[in-house]
Amino acid sequence: MSEQKTYKQAFQRIEQIVSEIEGEDPDVDKLTDLVKEGLDLLKYCKQHLRTTEEDLKSTLGDVDN
Amino acid sequence: MQHITLHQLNTIIQKTLDQHLERNYWVVAEIGEIRVNQKGHCYLELVEKEGQKLLAKIRANIWAYDYYNLNNLFRSVTGQPLKGGMKILSRVVIQFHEVYGMSLHIKDLDPNFTLGERARHRQLVIERLTKEEVLHRNKRLALPLVPQRVAVISSRTAAGYGDFMDQLMDNPLGYAFDLTLFETMMQGEEAVRSIVDALKKAGDAKEQFDLVVMIRGGGSQIDLDCFDDYTLALEITGSPLPVVTGIGHQRDDTVADMVAHTKLKTPTAVAEFLLSGMEAFDQQLSYQADRIKDLALQLLSDQQTKLFGLMKNLDHSAKLAITHRNHQLQLLNQRLRAGALTMLNREEQKLSRFLQVFKQSPNQILSRRFQELELMHTKISLADPVNILKRGYSVTYLKGKVLTPDSKLKVGDEITTKLAAKIIKSNVTDINEP
C-alpha cells in the first residue's frame, strides 16, 4: 500500500478484487498480485478496525468517568 | 426795583383767595394717591386726567376725626374703602398756607359718586378681556416645577428691583437663579409700550425661561395707571410664560395683577414666592429621594425573600433535572457503545469473508486450470500419429508422399511402409479394388 487509503476505499478495492477472483474468467497471471493486494488491504482494514475499537473504548470510557 | 418778600406774596395770595373763593365747593376728582398716617389723618393727591394725561393735581387732606366717619360712611355705601383710582365727589375748603402752599380740606364726600374714572376704565378693560375670553388665559398656564430661569421686567433703577435681586441672590438656602433683566420704563407714557416689548421678547425666548416677573418698587399710586392698560393686559394674558406681578402697591389690584398668573404685592413678595417654589421643589426632591430609598429597601427585601424561596426550589429542581439527564446520558452511552461495537463486528465479519475468499479461491482457480490443461493434454496425446502407430497402424509413402486412396499406384511401384518401430520397403505386385 503505497498510498494512504480510507477504510471505505480499501474495502471497495477488496470487493472489486473478490468479484474479479470469483468471476467467470479470472486472469491467472494477475492472480498472485490480486491476492497479495487483497490480503494487504485486509490487513490494513483489520488494523483500522482494531484501532477504531480501541479509540472507541477509550472515548466511551471517558464518558463513564 | 420795587419788590415784596415771599411771605408778603403768599399773604397776598391768601387774602385774594379768601376774598374771591366760596366757602366751599363740591368737586369731582380722582384720588391719585391716598395714605393715612399714624395719627389717622388722611393725605390725598387729587387729580384730573384726560386718558393717561394729567390735567390737574392738588394735595388734599381729611383730618382724622372726619376721616374715620367719612371712610366708614363711604365703605358702608360702596363696600370699599377710599382708595387710589377712585373718582370722588367731595366738598372741599381751599386752604392756603404760607409754608405748605395750597391744599384742599375735604369736609364731606358723596359716596354715591363712587366709581371713579379710573375704576370705570378698569371695569371696561376687564369686561373687554372677559368678552374676548382671555381674562384668565395666563392663569391656565402651569407654574414651572422649578422657577429658576426668570425673565425680569423692571427698571434697573427701581428700588423694588434692588430688593428683589438682594432677596434672591442672598437667599439663605443658596438656590441659584438665572435672572435676565428686560429693562423697561415702569411709569409714564412710555411704560405700556416698553413693557409690552419686554413681554414679547421674553415670550419669543420662552425656551430660555421658566416664568416672567414684572416688578416695580413702591411709588405714587398715580404711577400705576399703565398697569390698567388694555394693550398691556392683553399681552400678559397672551404670554406663553406664566407672569408674576409685584407692582409694589397696597391698594386694589391693577388689571395687570388681575390677568397675571400670580399677583403679589411687592417685588420682595415675588422673590419670596420664587424662593418658596424652589424650596417646594427641593422638599419634593428630598421627599422623592426618601421614597426612592424606602422603595428600594422594600424592593431589596422582597427580592431577597423571593430569591431565598427560588433558591430552595432551584436546588430541588436542579437535582431532579440532573438525575434525569444523567439517566438519559447513560442510556445514550449504552446505545452508542452497542451501536459502535455492532458496526465494528459487522465489518469484521465482512473482512473474514474476504479472507475466506482469498484463502480458497486461488486454489480453486488453479485446480480448475490444471484440469483444463489435463484435458487438453489428453486430447493432444490422442491425436499424435506416433501413438496411433503404436497401436498397430502404419503409414505408406509413395515417392515420399503419404499414399492415399487417390494416389496413382501401379504394379512395380516401390512403396515405403512406416511402422511404430520399423520401416519396410516393398514392390507392388498386384492391385485390387475391393
Side-chain angles (χ1 to χ4, degrees), chain B residues 118 122 126 224-228 245 247 249 251-259 263:
Chain B
R118 190 158 167 229
R122 281 178 50 208
I126 290 163
L224 294 173
D225 279 355
C226 61
F227 296 103
D228 284 332
T245 56
I247 295 173
H249 56 89
R251 71 160 174 87
D252 210 19
D253 298 337
T254 62
V255 178
D257 286 319
M258 194 175 273
V259 297
K263 58 116 192 182

Side-chain angles (χ1 to χ4, degrees), chain B residues 35-213:
Chain B
R35 65 174 191 277
V36 178
N37 74 3
Q38 287 179 338
K39 290 178 179 170
H41 299 312
C42 176
Y43 296 93
L44 306 98
E45 194 172 64
L46 297 180
V47 295
E48 182 177 350
K49 290 186 291 183
E50 194 176 69
Q52 297 292 320
K53 196 179 171 192
L54 199 59
L55 293 179
K57 176 165 128 177
I58 194 163
R59 284 186 290 116
N61 56 57
I62 312 171
W63 301 127
Y65 183 71
D66 291 330
Y67 177 68
Y68 181 78
N69 291 316
L70 286 178
N71 197 36
N72 277 350
L73 173 70
F74 191 84
R75 194 198 295 265
S76 71
V77 174
T78 66
Q80 289 177 307
L82 281 169
K83 59 186 180 183
M86 284 178 169
K87 195 175 257 189
I88 54 169
L89 176 59
S90 57
R91 184 167 61 81
V92 301
V93 175
I94 297 154
Q95 302 175 125
F96 186 83
H97 190 277
E98 293 86 340
V99 174
Y100 301 113
M102 184 158 323
S103 66
L104 303 178
H105 181 200
I106 296 175
K107 298 297 289 178
D108 200 358
L109 280 170
D110 180 1
N112 292 320
F113 186 89
T114 296
L115 286 178
E117 182 76 10
R118 190 158 167 229
R120 202 151 54 85
H121 164 75
R122 281 178 50 208
Q123 195 54 42
L124 287 175
V125 170
I126 290 163
E127 278 169 13
R128 187 172 168 190
L129 293 169
T130 306
K131 200 172 163 191
E132 289 166 2
E133 297 181 343
V134 296
L135 192 70
H136 299 305
R137 195 160 56 172
N138 197 257
K139 288 188 201 300
R140 284 198 280 269
L141 296 177
L143 272 179
L145 190 60
V146 189
Q148 194 167 32
R149 301 171 306 157
V150 185
V152 184
I153 293 178
S154 181
S155 160
R156 192 187 292 277
T157 52
Y161 175 67
D163 296 344
F164 175 78
M165 293 298 283
D166 292 347
Q167 187 104 356
L168 284 191
M169 291 311 177
D170 301 333
N171 73 81
L173 291 169
Y175 296 129
F177 285 92
D178 179 7
L179 304 170
T180 305
L181 174 65
F182 289 85
E183 199 162 4
T184 53
M185 307 283 290
M186 296 305 276
Q187 59 186 17
E189 289 174 7
E190 286 299 302
V192 169
R193 189 191 54 75
S194 160
I195 296 171
V196 165
D197 280 356
L199 276 167
K200 280 189 198 301
K201 280 182 196 161
D204 287 347
K206 63 179 177 182
E207 303 303 333
Q208 297 168 29
F209 299 112
D210 300 318
L211 49 65
V212 174
V213 303

Side-chain angles (χ1 to χ4, degrees), chain A residues 7 11 14-15 17-18 21-22 25-26 28 31 35 38-39 42 45-46 49 53 56 60 63-64, chain B residues 329 333 336-337 340-341 344 347-348 350-355 357-358 361-363 365-366 368-369:
Chain A
Y7 179 87
F11 188 88
I14 297 171
E15 278 186 320
I17 294 170
V18 168
I21 291 172
E22 289 182 335
D25 189 21
V28 175
L31 194 55
V35 172
L39 287 172
L42 257 182
C45 284
K46 281 194 164 188
L49 283 185
E53 193 176 15
L56 267 177
L60 292 168
V63 171
D64 287 339
Chain B
L329 279 180
N333 185 16
L336 187 65
R337 190 188 298 262
L341 292 177
L344 280 175
E347 291 300 316
E348 191 90 46
K350 284 182 194 167
L351 293 182
S352 296
R353 200 186 75 74
F354 289 150
L355 187 61
V357 171
F358 290 136
S361 289
N363 288 337
I365 291 165
L366 289 178
R368 211 158 54 231
R369 293 290 190 238

